Amino acid sequence: MAAQPYDEAPPTRAQQRPPRAEQYQEEMPPRSRARQNPRTVSNQETMVSDAPRRSRRRGSGEPPEPPGPPTKKGGEGRGGWRRFVPSWKIVVAGTVVLAAGLFGMVMVAYANTPVPTNAQEEATAEQSTIYYRDGKTPIARLGFKRESVELSQMDEDVKNAAVAIENKTFYEDSGISISGMFRSVYMTATGQQLQGASTITQQMARNYYDGLSQEVSIKRKVMEIFVAVKLDETLSKDDILRNYLNTINFGRAYGVQAAAKAYFPGKNVTAAKLTPEQGAYLAARIQQPNWDHNSPELQNRFKDVIRNMAELWPEKYGNLPQTAKFPVTKKSAGNDDLGGLRGYMVKEVLDELETRGLTNDAVKSGGYKIVSTFDRKLMKAAQTAVKSTMKAYNLSTEYHGGLAAVDPKHGRVLAFYGGDDFLTDPWNEPFQSTKQAASAFKPYVLAAWLQAGKSLKSYVPGNQTVPKELPGQQKGGITNSHNVGASVDVVKATAASVNTAYVSMAYALPNQLDDLKNLTKAAGFNAKRMDDDVAEHHYQFAIGSALVTPLEQAAGYQMFANGGKYIRPHVVLKVEQKGKKVYDEQATPKQVIDPGVAADSTTAMQSVLAAGGTAAGKGLGSRPAAGKTGTNNDEKEAWFVGYTPQISTAVGFYREQCKTKTGKIVPPEHSNCPYERKGSKKFNMNNPYTRPDEVSLGFEGAGPPTIVWQKFMQLAHENLPVEQFPDRADVGDADNIVPSPEPKPTESPEDTENPFDEENPFDDGTTEDCLIDCESTDTPDTGLPEGQPDVDDGASSDGLGDTGSDDSGVPEGGDPNQNGLSGQGTAPMYSRPEGQ
């Protein structure tokens, strides 16, 4: 059987082509153009089909070959990897589409970027200045050192210097630099500094306007560029440069005006009076504001600024590189604004403003003019009075003295002394130290007594309290250190500071201690401290067991000098911002006692400084003055509080020794007990090396406290007119707790051998106030170093001493049912040695 055509292998292309061509030429007519190009099929490929193959030759039994790939001229094909490479037409088309999309996105983003209108708070923040009460002498400047000025108030040189080093094309560009923009984006993408290539307009946009954050990101950088371009279209170059130079950080200050004052010596330095070298110096600081004032890096940058200025404006600065010298600058001022006494005043001002809603941050950025109540002369006088007295008595740093002076007519704190340097010892004694008031608290009992309708003519107990045993007190009650007799009037009880009299007066009040407690609260004392002390010490409250500060005492006594009116003590006169008053003085008077009560209280307290009083001979000469001494048990705290119609002043002393756990005494450091020990890591705030231990002063209120008060008041009243106290009013009725003393019988003329018929020409009309030991001339032991000024121990020539709570002899600490006076607890009742 003959073989079938499909059983044979198909002929090769070489074997087929000639016969096919010849056969077609012989048997077929010519093809049309559409059929003249035969399809070429590779001899390496096979057409696969489910149908039988057909020969390309008509009439033959051979199947057709599959089509081959297209060929280029020359016979080369696009095989292999070339098949995946797009043609240049596709690349160009894609690039155009992508660019158009990106451009459209940029234009949409640009169109939707708003032009900022609100300035950042920090950009316009200006430092505030606190002044003494004259409103002219500054105490300290706080916060952002910036003063915004107009461009016309800036020297041309500093403007040119900033442009020369930061943005040479500032006056020609559109707010951005193309080359700088790409450089900045690259630096951001690679994690480098974002701000390196910004123009002045971009820097101004970032630092001045709200809405642009400081984060390092491409998004923020792109937005900054858009804003800069829009600002360049809406603001003039002068406006941009003005905002820029008023907000840029120069290190010590923000803005060119404040920077000029911060770096260059002279009282009248301003941005309008800078030399080319000074302008170049400030411009050199813009890149790195934290450079030291004369660092080598800053000096090199300064030379770059000078060189750029000469290149940009050769007609003006052409010779500057050869002649310019690095300018003389101030050394860093550091924290001097809070050094010395200034820090204490600043803290009190800021604390008061905080209570009125003006925060510290707002003060430091608000550009306020704050006028305080402090008098510069009196602040120095207070420091001089305390330190000179401590030196005279050879008092070490273990002794702490505090002084506060208040204007009684307005409640203004005129001066205080609480330390020498706020930076090393920030504790402010008269504002923060709370100590037992001792007998200096008795005038409030006197005021409550008179306010209750009783009078100075009343006779009160001298030797023992009435009743003898008071509620809450141990048997025997409170005693005095001196025998003053069974009965004394209220004036003499005040002059001699008689404990038994004042405790009995408090008991005789209509509502007893409640009346006294309510009056002290109305006089400005801390209500919680008053309540706690009454609950703990009962009737010792009447003789000064309560804890008070010198400021509270000076302010409390102002009601005696001001017709019974109390005004809360304050340290701020007014606050202004841009010439407008935003906070006024808070000086609302409150009538606590009647004017007549204040006048009679003053009469009694004048006797303290007069002959027979506990502070006799320590007044102000011909100038009327009144006050009260006070000494705590064991002489741990000593006071004098006194006043004139113009000034009320309180002085308090206490002594602390720094002791280790083993009892070793260590000298204080800056008046503070050290909590660390040099060379040891064992001690810290939680485990201090030493702790303060309050010990006896060795003197009483009539000693150094009264001397300090006298010195200060003499200095404070220089050039002030002499003002008189109101006359004695004699309010109320006599309410004798004890009978008046029996009058001594007088001898009739006929019973004497008086050679004069009518009157004794040698009789000066005075009476002898002495009650006991009139002939005594013994000098009491003051506990002070030999050769120091005598200190009054409370005993006057008539034998009536300052026997306030200080005379009660109550030591600190002990049983709460005892009569001790203590800020930390109570203790058994002991009298002083002279009273035992």
Side-chain angles (χ1 to χ4, degrees), residues 140-354:
R141 292 181 171 87
L142 306 175
F144 290 90
K145 293 183 178 179
R146 176 188 285 121
E147 296 177 48
S148 297
V149 294
E150 294 299 324
L151 198 66
S152 60
Q153 295 174 280
M154 303 178 192
D155 190 89
E156 195 71 23
D157 297 324
V158 72
K159 293 184 283 187
N160 292 341
V163 170
I165 193 64
E166 291 296 318
N167 188 186
K168 289 182 178 180
T169 62
F170 171 70
Y171 289 107
E172 291 80 32
D173 62 38
S174 59
I176 61 171
S177 168
I178 301 300
S179 60
M181 179 180 68
F182 285 106
R183 182 168 64 252
S184 181
V185 171
Y186 171 76
M187 292 171 70
T188 300
T190 56
Q192 301 179 57
Q193 186 179 8
L194 178 65
Q195 303 174 11
S198 299
T199 63
I200 283 177
T201 308
Q202 288 174 265
Q203 292 181 58
M204 188 274 291
R206 178 175 59 247
N207 295 324
Y208 185 79
Y209 286 105
D210 197 12
L212 285 176
S213 66
Q214 299 292 328
E215 64 177 344
V216 179
S217 67
I218 293 179
K219 176 183 177 182
R220 201 276 302 161
K221 191 66 182 179
V222 171
M223 185 175 181
E224 175 189 301
I225 292 170
F226 291 163
V227 170
V229 173
K230 286 199 170 187
L231 288 175
D232 191 75
E233 295 174 351
T234 57
L235 296 178
S236 69
K237 292 292 185 180
D238 283 351
D239 289 338
I240 293 172
L241 190 59
R242 180 198 63 220
N243 290 346
Y244 175 74
L245 291 176
N246 274 327
T247 57
I248 203 70
N249 181 11
F250 289 95
R252 294 182 189 173
Y254 288 77
V256 66
Q257 173 83 339
K261 295 179 179 180
Y263 285 105
F264 305 125
K267 294 183 179 180
N268 299 318
V269 175
T270 65
K273 300 178 181 179
L274 299 178
T275 65
E277 291 85 353
Q278 290 173 329
Y281 174 88
L282 294 180
R285 297 198 64 88
I286 295 175
Q287 185 185 58
Q288 292 292 336
N290 293 327
W291 275 336
D292 192 32
H293 69 109
N294 59 358
S295 66
E297 298 85 355
L298 179 60
Q299 295 188 39
N300 291 333
R301 182 76 169 174
F302 169 79
K303 294 176 182 177
D304 293 340
V305 178
I306 295 295
R307 185 168 53 253
N308 286 4
M309 292 171 69
E311 291 176 1
L312 286 177
W313 298 281
E315 68 285 353
K316 188 173 183 179
Y317 304 114
N319 296 326
L320 195 57
Q322 292 76 38
T323 61
K325 294 182 179 180
F326 194 77
V328 176
T329 57
K330 298 178 184 177
K331 292 183 179 180
S332 178
N335 213 4
D336 286 349
D337 274 351
L338 297 180
L341 301 179
R342 291 188 293 271
Y344 299 105
M345 292 183 278
V346 169
K347 181 181 182 301
E348 297 309 323
V349 168
L350 293 179
D351 286 351
E352 180 172 316
L353 291 176
E354 184 88 29

Side-chain angles (χ1 to χ4, degrees), residues 69-79 82:
T71 60
K72 290 184 179 181
K73 293 181 179 180
E76 297 182 359
R78 289 179 56 84
R82 290 184 179 85

Side-chain angles (χ1 to χ4, degrees), residues 720-741:
L720 290 182
V722 175
E723 292 188 18
Q724 302 295 326
F725 288 123
D727 293 335
R728 175 170 173 168
D730 276 329
V731 299
D733 300 317
D735 183 6
N736 297 336
I737 299 177
V738 294
S740 62

Side-chain angles (χ1 to χ4, degrees), residues 640-654:
F640 188 82
V641 187
Y643 57 96
T644 67
Q646 291 113 314
I647 301 175
S648 174
T649 300
V651 178
F653 273 85
Y654 66 97

Side-chain angles (χ1 to χ4, degrees), residues 377-378 381 647 649 711-720:
K377 172 191 168 185
L378 299 188
I647 301 175
T649 300
K711 285 183 178 181
F712 171 77
M713 294 292 272
Q714 287 172 343
L715 293 170
H717 284 83
E718 287 180 352
N719 302 321
L720 290 182

